Amino acid sequence: MRTLALDDEILLTIDKPARYIGCEVNSVMKDPEKVDIRFAMCFPDVYEIGMSHLGIQILYDMFNSWEDTWCERVYSPWVDLDKIMREKGIPLFALESQEPVKDFDFLGITIQYEMCYTNILQILDLSGIPLLAEEREETHPIVIGGGPCTYNPEPIADFFDIFYIGEGETIYRQLLDLYKEYKRTGITRREFLIQAAGLPGMYVPSLYETAYKEDGTIDSFTPKVEGIPRTVLKQIQMDLTDTYYPRKPIVPFTKITQDRVTLEIQRGCIRGCRFCQAGQLYRPVRERDVEMLKQCAVQMLDSTGQEEISLSSLSSSDYSKLEELVTFLMETCRERMVNISLPSLRIDAFSLDIMGKVQDVKKSSLTFAPEAGSQRLRDVINKGLSEEVILKGAAMAFEGGWTRVKLYFMLGLPTETEEDIRGIAELSNKIAALFFETVPKEKRTGQVQIVTSTSFFIPKPFTPFQWAKMNTKEEFLDKARLTKAAVREQLNQKRIKYNWHEADVSMLEGAFARGDRRLGQVIRKAYEKGCLYDSWSEFFKNDIWLETFEECGLDIDFYTVRERALDEIFPWDFLDCGVSREFLKREWIRAQEGIVTPNCKRQCQGCGAARFGGGICFEKRNAEGEIEDGAAQTLMEYAHLHESKETAGCPEEMILKEMCANDGEGGAQA
C-alpha cells in the first residue's frame, strides 16, 4: 500500500500540494521487489518548471521500458515545504513511490542552467546524501549529472560522482549493467567509478586533478588513474526515429509552465550563431522521420487529452518536412480542438504562411530575434539575418493580421558600439512605423505593440565567443539605460515597450558558465548561508554571493570580464563536443573581422561533427537540391582521417573544400 510522504496537515498548509503527491496520469508504478535498479530522476527546480522539460520525459520513458529498472521523479521542494521538511526531519522523496531518495541506487540530476546550482545542493541535503562526493559511502546513491551545463561541469564537480556528457539515449544501459555487476560482485564504490569512467561519455571528476598557474589560469588537467581517458567525447543519438520517445507523457494535476504535448522534430541547428551554445553542442543536425512524428502526435494526444501540441527544435523552419507535418497536424488538431504551437520559426514568407494557417482565427504575438541592433553587429555574431529580411517579415506579419511583435536583443556583444545599441531602438521604431505603412486604417483590428527585450550577453563554453570578455555590471546597466533613452527618442515610442534582464544574475551566471573547480567552495558556502532558487529574482541574494567570493579568496571578475588568450587552457578542454577548438578559434577571429560564415546547408565549414557519421553532414546536395550519391562515403573517409589524426596540420576546410564544391543556393533551398 502506497503511503504519502507528507501527511494531510502538511499538504493543507503548503502552496500547490499537487506538486508532491505523484500518481499523475501516465506516471509509472512498479513493484520495487521486482526491479534491480531504482533510479531517481531529478530536475533541480520547482515542479512546474521541471515537468515542462522534455529530456526527463524521454529518459523516464526509456528507463521504465526496461523490466529491471524503475525510474521515478524528484523536483526541488518550494521554499514553504523546504522549511517544513528541515524542521520535521522529513527526507526528500520520489513522487511515484513516495520513498526516500537516499535509498535509491542512482540520483540523476539534469542541469539545464547555471543558476540552479544551489538547488542541486538542496536536493542532496534534504535527501541526506553528503554534499561532497568524496564523503559518500557504499550505501549512498550514485549521483550523476547530465544536460547542457555538464559541458563545463567543473564548478559543481565536487558534488557529483559521474557526469554523463551527451544525449542520454546511448550509454545508460551499459552503465546500469555495469552497476548491476558492481552490486553482484561486491567491488568498492571507487572501483565501480573507475570502471564507469571507461565507458564512452562518462566523466568521473574524482579521478582527475587540476593544476593552476600563478595567475590563476589552468596549467594542466590530468587523470589520476591509469587507463581512464584524457578526453571525454560526447555521446550522440544519430537515429532519432527508431529510438525512445514518450507516447504516453505524464499529465500533471496542476498547471505547469508548458502545459502541452511536445513533439521534438529535430536536434541541432544549421545556423552557426557564434553566441549560441546549443547550436554547437547539438551538431550535427538530425531530423526525425515525418511519419514517425505523425504517429507520435496522434498517440500523445490520445494518451494525454492535452489541448495544445508544440513542435520543439532550435530552428523549426529548417525542418525539411515542416509543411507536410503542419498540414497533417492542422487536420488532426482541428477535429480534436487542439492548438498548434510553432516556436523557433524564422520570420520569412514560408514560416508566416504556416503561422497564418495555424493561427487563422486568433493571431497571437510573433517573435523576432534580431539579437543585435545593427547589421554590422549581426554579421559579427553570424546571425544571418538582414534588416531587409526583418522588415519584410514584419510587413508580411502585419498584412497577415498580427499586431503584436516581440523583439529579442542582447547587450554587451563583442565589438558593440553606441551606434549598435541605438540601433535596437531604431529597428523597433521602423517595425512599428511599418504597421501604419502596411495596414490601411480601415483594416486595422487593433493598435500595434512592439515589445523589445534585451538580455545581457554571457560567453559560454564551446562557442566562438568562449574567449570573449563580459561587460561589467555597470557597463550592462549603462547600456540598458542608453537603450531605454533611445527608445524614448523614437517617433513611435508609445508603441514600444522596453524590458531588460537583471545584471547581477547575469554576472553570476557568467562566472559559473566559464568557472573552474575552485568555485565549488563558493557555491557550497553560499548555499549554507541561505542562497536557493537563484534564478528566481525574489530569492536572489547578490550581496551574499559577492561576500562569499571574497571569503573564498576568489575574484568574480577573473571569470567574467577578463578576455582569454587564444592558447589558454579552459576548464572544459578535456571534453570533446564534436566541434573542434580550431573551428571555434577560426570563428572567433572571423567574428572580430565581421565576416559571415554560411550555414551548414549552404556550405560545410569542417567543424568536426562529421565524425559522428550522419545527419546533415551526409546530406551533400547538388545544384538542384538533391542528395548526391557517394557523399556519405566521402564523409566517412573524412571522419576516419580526422579520428586517425592523419590530417594533422591540415585545415579541415581544405579537406572539405572539394566535397562542398556543389553546395550552393540549391542546397540551401533543399
Side-chain angles (χ1 to χ4, degrees), residues 450-500:
I450 309 299
V451 180
T452 298
S453 300
T454 58
S455 62
F456 297 127
F457 166 67
I458 300 171
K460 292 295 178 84
F462 293 110
T463 68
F465 288 165
Q466 65 183 356
W467 287 276
K469 65 178 182 179
M470 276 182 71
N471 284 182
T472 65
K473 171 186 173 180
E474 291 72 22
E475 287 172 333
F476 277 142
L477 293 177
D478 285 345
K479 290 179 177 183
R481 294 186 193 102
L482 175 59
T483 308
K484 184 177 181 179
V487 167
R488 288 179 174 174
E489 295 171 1
Q490 304 306 312
L491 183 63
N492 293 288
Q493 59 165 297
K494 292 183 179 180
R495 307 299 176 198
I496 305 171
K497 181 182 179 182
Y498 175 56
N499 305 310
W500 67 92

Side-chain angles (χ1 to χ4, degrees), residues 587-605:
E587 284 295 288
W588 171 232
I589 294 170
R590 289 170 69 88
Q592 294 172 85
E593 296 173 351
I595 301 174
V596 174
T597 296
N599 69 56
C600 294
K601 281 192 175 180
R602 288 180 178 269
Q603 182 180 341
C604 179
Q605 301 299 318

